[in-house]
Amino acid sequence: MALLVEIHVPLTPTPGLKPWEYPFPWIEQVEDFLIELEEEGTAESYDEGTEFRACFVFFLVGATEAGLLAASSRVATLKGVPAGSFALVTDTEAPEMGTGRRVDLPL
């Protein structure tokens, strides 16, 4: 069992895009940022991001709770990431996604 933080970002389309453009370009931006976190040794992605309810969820492990929440806060402040993100502090053995202690982002 390991500490896990779920980063929930509202699935809000990016304003100003053309109708044929992908409405959530910030998802790829966050995924690139998470790779940078891994390269820094700050935190690790636990699994691929996924849609859950009205959010896109990213998963972080490999650091203390404070470290994972700090990294989550950095995600929430990336340019283009919709407001309203939050983290759920849980663990890798949780019976289901979307459970845990909620922390509003950014910190």
Side-chain angles (χ1 to χ4, degrees), residues 80-99:
V81 171
S85 298
F86 63 93
L88 291 178
V89 179
T90 184
D91 63 67
T92 56
E93 299 297 320
E96 60 186 15
M97 186 170 56
T99 60

Side-chain angles (χ1 to χ4, degrees), residues 4-89:
L4 174 107
V5 168
E6 299 176 4
I7 306 168
H8 292 247
V9 181
L11 270 172
T12 305
T14 300
L17 295 177
K18 304 212 176 4
W20 61 85
E21 292 181 296
Y22 181 60
F24 311 110
W26 50 265
I27 292 174
E28 186 173 317
Q29 179 186 0
V30 170
E31 289 171 343
D32 290 344
F33 179 74
L34 296 180
I35 290 169
E36 290 176 22
L37 289 179
E38 286 189 32
E39 290 171 352
E40 291 174 3
T42 303
E44 300 172 22
S45 291
Y46 180 68
D47 202 353
E48 290 187 22
T50 189
E51 289 185 36
F52 180 73
R53 298 185 180 146
C55 292
F56 197 88
V57 183
F58 304 92
F59 305 93
L60 288 178
V61 295
T64 63
E65 180 177 325
L68 294 174
L69 289 174
S72 300
S73 187
R74 290 173 62 192
V75 166
T77 60
L78 291 172
K79 184 176 179 166
V81 171
S85 298
F86 63 93
L88 291 178
V89 179

